[in-house]
Amino acid sequence: MPFSLLKYGFSKVHPSERHFQNLAELKSSYDVVIVGGGGHGLATAYYLAKQWGITNVAVLEKGYLAGGNTARNTAIIRSNYLTPEGVRFYDESIKLFQNLSNEFDYNILYSERGHLTLAHTDAAMRTSRWRAEVNKHLGVNSEVVYPDELAKLCPHLNLSQKVRYPIMGALHHPPGAIARHDAVAWGYARGASDRGVEIHTHTEVTGFNFENGRVIGVKTNRGDIRCGKVLQAVAGLSSEVSKLAGFKLPIKSIPLQACVSEPVKPFLDIIVVSGSLHVYVSQSSRGELVMGSASDPYPLYSTRSTLEFKEELMMHLLELFPFVGKLKLLRQWAGTADMTPDFSPVMGITPIQNYYIDAGWGTWGFKATPVCGTRMAETLATDKVPDLIKPFELERFYRFDQLGERGAASVGH
Amino acid sequence: MGDNFTMRLPKPKGLYLDRSKTITFVFAGKHYQGLQGDSIASALAANNERLLSRSFKYHRPRGILTMAGRDANTLVQVEDEPNVRADTYAITEGLEVFAQNVYGSLENDWGRFIEHIGRFLPVGFYYKAFYKPKGIWKYWDTIIRNFAGLGKVDVNATPYASDKAYRFCDVVVIGGGPAGLSAALQAANAGAEVILVDENQLLGGSLNYVRFNSNNSQTLLTREKLVNAVTNHPAINIYTNAMCTGWFADNWLAIMCEQRMLKLRSQVVVAATGSIEQPAIFRNNDLPGVMLGSAAQRLIYLYGVAPGKLAVVLTGNDDGYGVALDLIDSGIEVQAIVEMRTTPSHSSLAAAINAKNIRILQGYTVYEAIPGAGKRSITHAVIHQISSEGTVNENSHKIACDLICMSAGYTPAAQLLCHSGGQLKYDEADAILKVTQLPAHGQSVAAGSLNSVFEIDAVLADGKYAGWLAATNAGFPNNEPANVPHHVGAQGQNYPWPIFPHPKGRDFIDVDEDLQVKDIVNAVKDGYDDLELVKRYSTVVMGPSQGRQSALNNMRLVTKEANRSLNGITITTQRPPYSPEFIQHLVGKAFQPVKHTAIHYRHLECNAQMMSAGLWLRPAYYGNPENKDTCIEKENLAVRNNVGIVDVSTLGKLEIRGPDAAEFLNRMYTFAYAKQLIHRSRYVLMTDSTGVIIDDGVACRLGEHHFYVTATTGGVDGVYRNMLRWNTEWNLNLDIANVTAAYAAVNLAGPNSRDVLSCLTDDIELSAQQFSDMEVRTGHIAKIPARILRVGFVGELGYEIHVPANQGEALWDALMKTGEEFEIRPFGVEAQRLLRLEKGHIIVNQDTDGLTIPQETNMGWAIAQKKPFYMGKRAIDVMSARSLDRLLVGFTMPSDAPLPEECNLVVNNNEITGRVTSVAYSPTLKSIIGLAFVSPDQSEIGKQFNIKLSNSAIVKATVCPTPFYDPENKRQEM
Ligand SMILES: Cc1cc2nc3c(=O)[nH]c(=O)nc-3n(C[C@H](O)[C@H](O)[C@H](O)COP(=O)(O)OP(=O)(O)OC[C@H]3O[C@@H](n4cnc5c(N)ncnc54)[C@H](O)[C@@H]3O)c2cc1C
């Protein structure tokens, strides 16, 4: 029994420690207004306060705290990307993640499980090798493995050759992990709130005020406020909010669905992804299989669920794990993925002065929450875009200078 | 057989039972007998066994709660199936049922000691500990994971068979209770084709087990009449044992039957899914012996089992009196009715109870249930007088009982409605959640208690009205039923605050997740005061029953703790499925299409090793896998020195016809097609709007207005989609057809190919002068009408012959037979890849990637600079105006060098400058050859660059010009 729990048992009243304040009133002005109280917005607020001492900050969230994609994602964390820029970026995130529980004093249930990207075709094997080679070159632990090794890494995986798409091998990435997605957002919210950042939920940004091409204020459903700088971090609604600010993003919003089974005793430790079969699965600490697929085939802002999604997904799941037929699906849901054409995010400055952007996180942005938070905080605080995130600037699309991550990002969130 | 069970009730109770058949089964290691029709739980109850499971966190004993398959208390493992609902799962002879999530045995589960440390496990405890010192979580994680989880997946289980079926109807009615039955009847009478779906084995819903008035015979008569009328109606199709689990956009429903999922599309949906009875909250309200009033009634009426011997009925509405009457009728002694309301009930049910001199404690609640040995049963109810909302005073009684039935109110079973846009809001006046918005844009109706109508005559009328409206909206106008009691509400159905926290706790809000009142209160104190946040932080309503018995009380508690008003509050988002779905049911017969070319079986006869190419199967090579390399080498040499034949039927094929065909190609592809001569072919290269190469092939001009265009096997569907989309925008005068599978094609290649072909045609002149490279002819090969293309992917004299797919095999046979004297050899994809590499041709997606523009692969020649537009032009113009950062080059290495793998990196001073995209040992050239991306300063011919092998060793490669083989193209142009 850990010591930290003793106080709960021995004190008469619950040692109440409100993790974040819900404030009644908006102030008339803030140094920084962050639009979007998801993981990214909250992390940026946290690092602004913690690393840069900037605390006159408001995070405005139109729904409940971190209820967007942060609340809906399947929490896969990995750095086995394809471009050196991507690998370096996500690797920094993993390193931050590994220390986050202790930094927060709040357990984010970071569980290093290892991550397999299965290959069923020559082409997928080539991509696996490409990723492994780039990863290894940059000091990230990834290796191509073959069926004999797979049998050890994932004992119940169906390695039969008598299936439609037999498994030829996989990219094995031992640092692959899952974490409790909500806890990450709450940890940041608590840390930010403790340092004076104001978090206003049920507060929707409806427009912006400008002066000489600079943003100077934010309109909300609770009135106008003035501000020095704005960070837009609204994921699925990126294009809509940037429209309010008057610029266009090369981002499409596409539904992304996921589902969980009823909880069962642990039988799957590692995270398994198959791009060819459009399926990924991990078993959560609660015992549920957490499963997902590629994004839906068309843009949409609704977060409805579909039947086709799970029919297709379950078919492929059964090919990988033929014995789960009698397990039951408990719940399905959807979020809205903000997809860029090159499957890399957008971070940094925008055509509008003092207006910063953090978008294009598509199906893969949860894992970037810490690194994006620190680096965007740095950008806002110093007015200089750090080298690590420079390649992800919005400008790249104006120059056709894309950062191609499709091969590493499409299904394997 | 004689009825020798002590708890078993005589007929007519036990609607589901066939009393002539006794069934023996095993539960938790012991043998029991039940009757045909019993569920596991009812059979155990008939044997006076109440303990069904252990709870998720504290391993507290649990028994029947709902008797409707709606709670986690009855989860057991049946053979290889985890998380089976024991209260609805029918027993069969020899069935083996196990307890799940227990350590030791169900009776003696040492996991129960967790309860003793429960106070050290506050809500969200895992967020508050287990991470210090750093790294320790890894160990705790494993421990906690093993404690979590419920049943077990059997990793050796074999898949069972199931399938799917499609249904269509005008009106679907979900729920076969009084509202649903009358809706179905009304709609069918109006002429609509109706499907009626119910999760139970018998139609009737609450009519089967609820006592609507003191003299129950009326209810039974209504049931007889309705069920008969519905069953005999020719326009009503009935599905029982069928659970509608999802209601998706456009009235698309998923319905789970025993071995099959039905997918149903209906014009209009009538939701008559009823309501779910809610528990009251008091100490030990989770133990075996405490159940919903409706659970007791289901046990009695459906299974003919007495739910206990000595009962206390806790009620906050009139239904509790009905429960008491049913108990009394079943010979159970009702010790008291504990009535939470302060004013006496005036219902006929209450009058009947009064007439029987049953004690009614007005304004009281059960405050605590006293557990028996091992908490596996209860012995007393401790009753206190209610002093104010949620609190009690010292006036108390202790009443002996082994059964407490709870009738505290209902919540609409509105999950399905909410899946597709329906909404619920809390109505403070009636203390109930009400449907405030229906889904499906007017193509749906709610009826019965789902619609907050509870009194039986009103329910029947409401159903009728719903049937009328549904039929009308589905296009079957009929007369509106008269006397619809729209004013009848849910008043008095719900006791507004049946939550009585106890200082010593164990007052469970959510039995699935073992959450007590204090857990919810503390979650709010910790700052998680939005309903959604409480849910996520505490996991309330997230268990197997998805909040059916907990959402209502939870929202009451949370809003009170957070000082918010309940009125108008909506519940957390409802997501499909309504009830857990077997993964196998969702899969049915897995549909994984395979495409065979017309020549498929000839390949198998030649011992081809097949490989997947998209949906197609193609020969990788011919021969045994042990000799793979020699086979490929022989195939390669046959083409180089003699003649080979390869099935290229999987190539994409598109017919583009119309006056604007050339203009269309000019826009879709980078090259120029306006002046292309008839009977000639030309390379096509497609880029996307960012200038990235996405496909290639050739365009054959067969007429002024007719092009026959090939695309890659994997790319053709995307190319075709792209073409359709753009032509919709451009609206050019042409027609596009994807004829990929309509043609079979082979490539006959090698110096002797002309000799073979000349034996098989008399209408095509084959000489080099008459039919030169890059020309196209139509004519006959072996009497089969054919399109013949002289193309040279493999770099030898060659003919690509396209014939109608049904003649593919005949073509193959003719070529193979005629080729016999030349020792013709079939070759596969592997040899083809090697041959094209020798010739320096790229394969799109292997030698290109998601960012490759034509200039990087030396294909600037394939771009018509002067064209005003082609897809990707703007991007390519922008990018080619600046220097490139990589180039695709050919390279060689000595034959004894270690063979790099494709995608090994090209490095320069530890910096990644590119990668190997294709590499192989060439038996013809007797050296290693390959293609690689390198930086421009590494690209000079004759220069060396470094390749980093998978084992990190560095090897040197030399840039050399391509083609590696026959650079003058003499062999191809023969
Ligand atoms: C089903 C699913 C599975 C996923 N799986 C993974 C995974 O395994 N690994 C991974 O790394 N990533 C995954 N992702 C992606 C990941 O969830 C997101 O990229 C990430 O959460 C983005 O975080 P965010 O804070 O930017 O966005 P969000 O959490 O969406 O936060 C944005 C917030 O902005 C708010 N907002 C929008 N407009 C306004 C406005 N006008 N005013 C005020 N507030 C506004 C929204 O309400 C929202 O709360 C998944 C996503 C989904 C949907």
Side-chain angles (χ1 to χ4, degrees):
Chain A
M1 173 68 41
F3 281 122
S4 46
L5 292 178
L6 293 181
K7 67 174 178 218
Y8 296 98
F10 291 132
S11 56
K12 267 240 149 61
V13 286
H14 180 68
S16 172
E17 39 178 44
R18 248 196 108 80
H19 293 174
F20 14 79
Q21 303 303 325
N22 218 345
L23 297 147
E25 295 300 323
L26 283 168
K27 289 200 290 194
S28 62
S29 159
Y30 297 91
D31 294 341
V32 177
V33 166
I34 296 176
V35 189
H40 285 220
L42 293 166
T44 308
Y46 170 88
Y47 291 111
L48 273 175
K50 185 168 183 234
Q51 292 179 329
W52 303 95
I54 300 173
T55 57
N56 185 19
V57 175
V59 179
L60 308 183
E61 166 54 53
K62 77 180 171 84
Y64 65 95
L65 184 69
N69 286 348
T70 300
R72 296 150 204 262
N73 76 81
T74 45
I76 294 175
I77 298 164
R78 61 186 176 89
S79 60
N80 57 355
Y81 278 75
L82 189 55
T83 65
E85 295 85 348
V87 175
R88 283 193 197 101
F89 175 77
Y90 292 106
D91 190 41
E92 181 169 309
S93 210
I94 287 210
K95 291 186 176 128
L96 289 165
F97 259 123
Q98 286 167 341
N99 195 36
L100 220 46
S101 296
N102 297 79
E103 181 175 337
F104 285 163
D105 203 5
Y106 192 92
N107 196 347
I108 63 158
L109 316 187
Y110 188 84
S111 181
E112 197 171 291
R113 298 288 189 81
H115 183 281
L116 287 175
T117 311
L118 304 178
H120 309 252
T121 62
D122 284 350
M125 279 305 281
R126 274 197 296 273
T127 310
S128 295
R129 186 165 308 107
W130 184 6
R131 287 165 67 182
E133 293 305 313
V134 172
N135 289 186
K136 282 189 290 184
H137 191 80
L138 299 170
V140 166
N141 190 356
S142 294
E143 199 62 75
V144 174
V145 292
Y146 295 90
D148 49 337
E149 183 118 2
L150 276 173
K152 286 184 226 146
L153 287 167
C154 187
H156 307 305
L157 183 64
N158 182 15
L159 291 165
S160 158
Q161 293 297 303
K162 294 200 193 89
V163 294
R164 179 67 181 89
Y165 296 104
I167 295 167
M168 298 170 75
L171 177 66
H172 179 218
H173 179 55
I178 49 178
R180 178 88 180 125
H181 50 340
D182 291 327
V184 172
W186 299 337
Y188 279 120
R190 183 168 84 156
S193 181
D194 283 352
R195 290 172 175 82
V197 168
E198 292 188 6
I199 299 167
H200 293 277
T201 55
H202 304 286
T203 307
E204 179 168 4
V205 170
T206 54
F208 298 94
N209 292 317
F210 304 97
E211 203 176 84
N212 304 329
R214 276 187 2 210
V215 66
I216 54 156
V218 175
K219 298 180 191 161
T220 80
N221 60 344
R222 296 169 60 197
D224 285 15
I225 44 183
R226 294 182 64 82
C227 64
K229 288 176 181 174
V230 168
L231 170 66
Q232 165 187 334
V234 296
L237 288 168
S238 291
S239 296
E240 292 296 303
V241 174
S242 82
K243 215 186 281 168
L244 295 177
F247 63 97
K248 255 185 146 173
L249 290 173
I251 286 178
K252 277 191 200 143
S253 287
I254 303 182
L256 178 65
Q257 307 192 50
C259 57
V260 291
S261 74
E262 287 190 336
V264 282
K265 292 290 174 196
F267 71 91
L268 180 67
D269 287 331
I270 204 161
I271 304 159
V272 178
V273 180
S274 165
S276 314
L277 297 187
H278 300 288
V279 51
Y280 67 90
V281 54
S282 68
Q283 191 176 12
S284 75
S285 301
R286 277 171 63 83
E288 301 157 328
L289 290 189
V290 179
M291 300 165 281
S293 181
S295 55
D296 287 358
Y298 42 80
L300 193 73
Y301 280 108
S302 154
T303 53
R304 87 282 177 271
S305 301
T306 69
L307 179 58
E308 293 68 27
F309 157 75
K310 52 184 173 179
E311 292 182 274
E312 192 69 14
L313 175 57
M314 292 305 124
M315 174 174 90
H316 292 309
L317 181 76
L318 266 196
E319 181 159 331
L320 297 179
F321 300 102
F323 53 86
V324 298
K326 282 188 182 165
L327 185 59
K328 291 177 216 107
L329 203 77
L330 184 61
R331 191 169 60 247
Q332 64 177 132
W333 67 90
T336 310
D338 38 334
M339 304 294 284
T340 54
D342 60 0
F343 288 71
S344 284
V346 179
M347 284 175 279
I349 56 171
T350 69
I352 295 166
Q353 221 183 323
N354 292 350
Y355 192 106
Y356 298 82
I357 186 135
D358 164 20
W361 290 105
T363 67
W364 56 83
F366 169 70
K367 72 178 68 61
T369 307
V371 64
C372 179
T374 46
R375 296 306 187 158
M376 283 313 298
E378 183 181 343
T379 308
L380 271 104
T382 63
D383 236 338
K384 250 185 66 202
V385 182
D387 286 346
L388 190 74
I389 64 170
K390 194 101 181 80
F392 303 100
E393 63 189 346
L394 176 57
E395 263 260 314
R396 75 176 186 275
F397 294 106
Y398 307 157
R399 296 193 309 261
F400 295 100
D401 226 352
Q402 303 190 76
L403 202 63
E405 282 290 6
R406 180 183 237 114
S410 51
V411 173
H413 307 343
Chain B
M1 169 209 111
D3 199 348
N4 53 12
F5 302 110
T6 52
M7 306 299 281
R8 188 67 82 183
L9 301 170
K11 275 184 176 174
K13 301 287 189 290
L15 269 179
Y16 287 172
L17 297 181
D18 173 353
R19 293 181 189 249
S20 66
K21 289 195 194 108
T22 313
I23 286 178
T24 307
F25 68 104
V26 182
F27 174 71
K30 275 203 246 166
H31 285 77
Y32 294 92
Q33 288 201 330
L35 294 175
Q36 173 87 30
D38 259 325
S39 69
I40 297 167
S42 73
L44 289 171
N47 285 280
N48 207 11
E49 282 291 349
R50 306 189 145 202
L51 178 61
L52 288 176
S53 72
R54 292 278 170 169
S55 70
F56 175 61
K57 186 167 156 193
Y58 300 133
H59 292 250
R60 283 170 67 88
R62 293 283 167 80
I64 289 169
L65 175 64
T66 65
M67 210 50 210
R70 285 176 180 160
D71 63 278
N73 278 6
T74 59
L75 294 185
V76 295
Q77 176 109 18
V78 173
E79 285 147 15
D80 58 1
E81 184 180 335
N83 305 345
V84 167
R85 273 84 181 146
D87 51 350
T88 49
Y89 192 98
I91 52 168
T92 49
E93 189 59 38
L95 189 75
E96 278 210 72
V97 185
F98 304 90
Q100 57 179 36
N101 195 28
V102 295
Y103 300 88
S105 67
L106 179 65
E107 286 278 312
N108 206 352
D109 176 5
W110 62 258
R112 70 181 183 275
F113 292 109
I114 295 177
E115 190 177 353
H116 298 298
I117 56 162
R119 61 192 174 125
F120 299 107
L121 304 175
V123 63
F125 69 92
Y126 31 82
Y127 299 132
K128 297 176 169 165
F130 308 113
Y131 51 89
K132 276 189 264 189
K134 196 178 164 191
I136 197 78
W137 168 243
K138 201 171 9 184
Y139 304 100
W140 281 110
D141 188 20
T142 315
I143 295 171
I144 292 179
R145 281 182 71 198
N146 281 314
F147 270 104
L150 297 170
K152 283 198 185 93
V153 161
D154 175 1
V155 296
N156 299 314
T158 43
Y160 66 93
S162 72
D163 65 5
K164 299 181 192 175
Y166 293 83
R167 294 289 180 272
F168 304 90
C169 62
D170 301 313
V171 174
V172 64
V173 178
I174 312 170
L181 289 168
S182 37
L185 208 53
Q186 177 77 22
N189 284 338
E193 213 175 292
V194 177
I195 286 181
L196 175 63
V197 180
D198 193 279
E199 66 184 272
N200 300 295
Q201 46 182 303
L202 289 183
L203 290 178
S206 56
L207 293 171
N208 291 342
Y209 60 87
V210 171
R211 181 185 282 253
F212 285 95
N213 29 48
S214 54
N215 174 2
N216 211 22
S217 53
Q218 193 58 38
T219 313
L220 297 179
L221 249 143
T222 311
R223 175 180 161 264
E224 281 287 313
K225 232 175 72 195
L226 267 177
V227 172
N228 278 339
V230 163
T231 314
N232 294 325
H233 203 295
I236 303 179
N237 245 312
I238 299 166
Y239 291 90
T240 48
N241 284 325
M243 175 76 84
C244 180
T245 54
W247 180 348
F248 300 94
D250 303 322
N251 289 342
W252 182 231
L253 307 183
I255 297 166
M256 299 296 165
C257 305
E258 270 153 298
Q259 293 286 304
R260 156 179 294 179
M261 172 166 71
L262 297 182
K263 299 200 270 180
L264 183 149
R265 177 93 64 192
S266 180
Q267 283 276 325
V268 182
V269 178
V270 176
T273 44
S275 47
I276 299 171
E277 193 162 33
Q278 297 296 296
I281 313 300
F282 52 85
R283 178 167 162 81
N284 292 328
N285 63 343
D286 63 322
L287 295 181
V290 181
M291 66 179 77
L292 299 175
S294 55
Q297 290 176 310
R298 285 176 203 257
L299 261 179
I300 293 168
Y301 283 102
L302 304 179
Y303 298 100
V305 176
K309 294 172 187 154
L310 204 57
V312 163
V313 175
L314 170 64
T315 190
N317 57 22
D318 294 343
D319 295 346
Y321 296 87
V323 172
L325 287 173
D326 285 333
L327 294 174
I328 295 164
D329 278 2
S330 308
I332 298 161
E333 209 171 308
V334 175
Q335 293 279 70
I337 293 185
V338 180
E339 166 65 272
M340 294 185 275
R341 294 177 292 185
T342 44
T343 46
S345 163
H346 299 299
S347 70
S348 64
L349 295 166
I353 286 290
N354 277 321
K356 291 188 194 283
N357 271 332
I358 304 287
R359 183 177 174 199
I360 301 178
L361 288 141
Q362 203 81 41
Y364 275 75
T365 184
V366 174
Y367 191 46
E368 179 178 2
I370 306 285
K375 298 190 189 127
R376 291 188 289 267
S377 61
I378 56 168
T379 61
H380 294 83
V382 179
I383 311 296
H384 277 251
Q385 191 172 30
I386 300 172
S387 52
S388 65
E389 183 180 279
T391 59
V392 298
N393 61 29
E394 293 306 308
N395 293 335
S396 66
H397 309 268
K398 191 169 168 183
I399 305 174
C401 63
D402 67 347
L403 172 68
I404 299 175
C405 295
M406 304 175 283
S407 296
Y410 301 86
T411 206
Q415 286 85 345
L416 284 172
L417 268 182
C418 294
H419 291 171
S420 61
Q423 251 179 29
L424 288 182
K425 286 207 169 118
Y426 195 78
D427 175 350
E428 201 146 31
D430 288 348
I432 201 167
L433 280 161
K434 285 189 177 164
V435 175
T436 52
Q437 185 181 309
L438 287 169
H441 312 290
Q443 293 300 81
S444 67
V445 195
S449 65
L450 171 70
N451 200 24
S452 310
V453 178
F454 286 86
E455 193 274 315
I456 182 65
D457 293 324
V459 167
L460 294 169
D462 196 46
K464 221 170 164 184
Y465 174 80
W468 163 76
L469 190 61
T472 306
N473 286 351
F476 301 89
N478 60 124
N479 292 330
E480 180 170 355
N483 306 328
V484 180
H486 287 300
H487 57 280
V488 180
Q491 214 186 352
Q493 284 298 331
N494 277 16
Y495 183 73
W497 201 268
I499 306 170
F500 298 95
H502 194 283
K504 289 202 257 163
R506 304 299 180 261
D507 36 14
F508 287 90
I509 285 271
D510 187 334
V511 292
D512 289 22
E513 298 289 294
D514 266 353
L515 291 163
Q516 310 163 52
V517 169
K518 68 167 184 201
D519 294 318
I520 305 303
V521 170
N522 292 340
V524 174
K525 279 196 183 139
D526 282 355
Y528 302 84
D529 49 10
D530 255 297
L531 266 184
E532 286 282 358
L533 290 181
V534 175
K535 161 176 152 189
R536 289 162 176 279
Y537 186 62
S538 69
T539 73
V540 66
V541 316
M542 287 175 77
S545 71
Q546 295 281 286
R548 281 173 175 72
Q549 278 74 236
S550 54
L552 179 65
N553 283 328
N554 178 60
M555 78 188 274
R556 286 172 171 155
L557 198 55
V558 170
T559 43
K560 180 170 188 174
E561 288 303 310
N563 268 325
R564 279 198 291 270
S565 151
L566 254 172
N567 207 25
I569 289 273
T570 165
I571 46 165
T572 56
T573 318
Q574 301 292 303
R575 300 287 191 182
Y578 170 57
S579 174
E581 301 166 322
F582 284 118
I583 286 175
Q584 177 62 57
H585 270 51
L586 287 167
V587 175
K589 288 184 178 146
F591 177 62
Q592 303 213 358
V594 189
K595 284 183 176 176
H596 289 170
T597 73
I599 309 161
H600 181 77
Y601 293 96
R602 291 292 184 263
H603 303 317
L604 298 187
E605 285 159 22
C606 296
N607 195 20
Q609 303 302 317
M610 305 302 282
M611 60 181 272
S612 278
L615 293 181
W616 296 97
L617 290 180
R618 299 192 64 185
Y621 57 91
Y622 297 80
N624 293 330
E626 313 78 88
N627 309 326
K628 178 176 172 188
D629 291 340
T630 6
C631 295
I632 296 170
E633 185 169 333
K634 280 188 188 152
E635 291 171 21
N636 177 288
L637 295 174
V639 175
R640 288 281 174 251
N641 303 326
N642 182 15
V643 57
I645 179 171
V646 59
D647 180 358
V648 293
S649 302
T650 64
L651 269 182
K653 307 174 200 79
L654 301 158
E655 302 267 21
I656 319 258
R657 284 199 191 83
D660 291 335
E663 169 63 17
F664 182 68
L665 292 190
N666 260 358
R667 297 189 195 184
M668 292 304 305
Y669 291 104
T670 58
F671 226 172
Y673 303 94
K675 294 187 188 136
Q676 182 179 340
L677 298 176
I678 294 172
H679 291 146
R680 283 198 70 86
S681 68
R682 186 168 274 195
Y683 184 64
V684 293
L685 182 68
M686 184 178 277
T687 56
D688 67 12
S689 56
T690 64
V692 171
I693 295 175
I694 51 177
D695 205 62
D696 72 350
V698 297
C700 308
R701 192 164 206 169
L702 298 180
E704 180 63 23
H705 297 163
H706 182 192
F707 285 85
Y708 180 60
V709 183
T710 67
T712 62
T713 301
V716 62
D717 292 335
V719 167
Y720 179 56
R721 234 181 359 249
N722 235 347
M723 286 184 167
L724 292 180
R725 185 198 142 192
W726 283 108
N727 197 40
T728 310
E729 291 205 12
W730 296 331
N731 201 13
L732 295 176
N733 187 1
L734 61 98
D735 180 80
I736 309 158
N738 184 349
V739 293
T740 299
Y743 284 92
V746 299
N747 187 5
L748 186 71
N752 289 328
S753 56
R754 182 178 289 134
D755 297 343
V756 174
L757 206 55
S758 59
C759 308
L760 287 169
T761 182
D762 39 27
D763 58 358
I764 303 168
E765 185 55 63
L766 292 174
S767 69
Q769 297 74 24
Q770 296 286 328
F771 187 2
S772 63
D773 197 25
M774 297 304 281
E775 288 198 317
V776 183
R777 295 288 179 272
T778 51
H780 292 79
I781 305 290
K783 303 204 166 63
I784 302 165
R787 292 171 177 176
I788 302 113
L789 288 58
R790 267 201 68 179
V791 288
F793 192 52
V794 298
E796 299 291 343
L797 170 68
Y799 301 88
E800 202 171 280
I801 307 162
H802 294 232
V803 299
N806 60 1
Q807 314 276 323
E809 211 172 61
L811 175 76
W812 178 271
D813 289 345
L815 289 167
M816 287 297 281
K817 182 139 194 299
T818 313
E820 231 167 56
E821 66 175 285
F822 301 90
E823 291 179 40
I824 191 171
R825 199 180 184 103
F827 64 103
V829 175
E830 295 279 5
Q832 192 190 22
R833 281 183 188 165
L834 176 57
L835 290 159
R836 68 85 207 184
L837 178 60
E838 289 171 343
K839 197 62 191 159
H841 288 305
I842 65 159
I843 296 180
V844 172
N845 278 335
Q846 172 169 343
D847 301 298
T848 69
D849 54 48
L851 292 184
T852 309
I853 59 170
Q855 280 79 358
E856 292 174 335
T857 60
N858 268 320
M859 294 218 282
W861 57 266
I863 294 179
Q865 302 284 359
K866 294 199 193 105
K867 282 197 304 193
F869 174 84
Y870 59 86
M871 192 61 53
K873 177 173 167 66
R874 202 175 96 79
I876 287 174
D877 287 351
V878 170
M879 284 186 282
S880 42
R882 62 171 186 253
S883 58
L884 300 171
D885 27 341
R886 59 175 184 171
L887 281 170
L888 191 73
V889 296
F891 69 85
T892 58
M893 292 166 63
S895 60
D896 57 351
L899 184 68
E901 291 179 282
E902 283 160 357
C903 287
N904 278 157
L905 299 180
V906 174
V907 293
N908 190 10
N909 294 329
N910 211 31
E911 199 187 310
I912 303 171
T913 54
R915 71 179 192 284
V916 174
T917 62
S918 292
V919 66
Y921 170 74
S922 160
T924 311
L925 302 165
K926 307 237 173 330
S927 74
I928 293 173
I929 57 170
L931 298 172
F933 277 113
V934 298
S935 65
D937 59 343
Q938 292 173 312
S939 67
E940 203 179 301
I941 287 176
K943 256 197 165 173
Q944 287 203 320
F945 63 86
N946 289 337
I947 295 174
K948 186 174 176 184
L949 302 180
S950 298
N951 63 8
S952 294
I954 301 282
V955 291
K956 295 223 173 287
T958 309
V959 179
C960 78
T962 56
F964 303 96
Y965 174 76
D966 183 28
E968 284 95 50
N969 232 11
K970 288 207 174 109
R971 301 185 59 88
Q972 188 171 320
E973 285 164 11
M974 258 183 352

